[in-house]
Amino acid sequence: MPIIAEKATSGTTSVKLGQRKAVLSSIARHKKRSVHSLMLEAVDVYIKNQQAWADFEAQAIRSYEQMQTTGMHVTLDEMRAWASELKINPNAPLPQCHA
């Protein structure tokens, strides 16, 4: 389930950074960047991670619902055996779903 962006009323948001500001300023100087650019990068990474998590959750729910409907599944032992085989053969085929 993708996260839907709400329409912002302003392009500016104030954030009280407290002690973090000094650390960010030091990092920004070291990287020859602005605190602003570091903050934007951090927000972009956070958004990307949250969207990926929401997509993962939605896929897990769909998979569970499909398993409930069809009964098709792979056991934990089958997955463990496949994971162990991947160490030896990175192209090991996925275990087959069964009822």
Side-chain angles (χ1 to χ4, degrees):
M1 171 180 302
I3 298 171
I4 299 171
E6 293 181 20
K7 198 170 202 176
T9 57
S10 168
T12 302
T13 299
S14 295
V15 178
K16 293 184 170 114
L17 297 173
Q19 296 174 342
R20 296 174 197 93
K21 175 100 187 219
V23 176
L24 279 170
S25 293
S26 176
I27 293 168
R29 275 192 306 278
H30 176 74
K31 294 191 169 278
K32 295 180 174 50
R33 293 179 56 190
S34 66
V35 170
H36 178 81
S37 71
L38 294 178
M39 294 296 297
L40 289 177
E41 181 181 343
V43 169
D44 288 345
V45 168
Y46 180 80
I47 289 170
K48 183 178 177 182
N49 288 342
Q50 291 303 306
Q51 288 176 328
W53 183 255
D55 291 345
F56 172 78
E57 251 181 351
Q59 176 59 43
I61 290 167
R62 286 191 303 273
S63 294
Y64 177 74
E65 289 169 347
Q66 184 178 3
M67 189 274 301
Q68 291 291 91
T69 301
T70 66
M72 300 296 282
H73 67 281
V74 174
T75 67
L76 178 59
D77 287 339
E78 291 165 338
M79 287 303 290
R80 283 184 175 156
W82 174 70
S84 293
E85 188 177 341
L86 282 177
K87 295 175 188 173
I88 301 163
N89 175 12
N91 297 318
L94 283 165
Q96 293 296 312
C97 290
H98 51 82

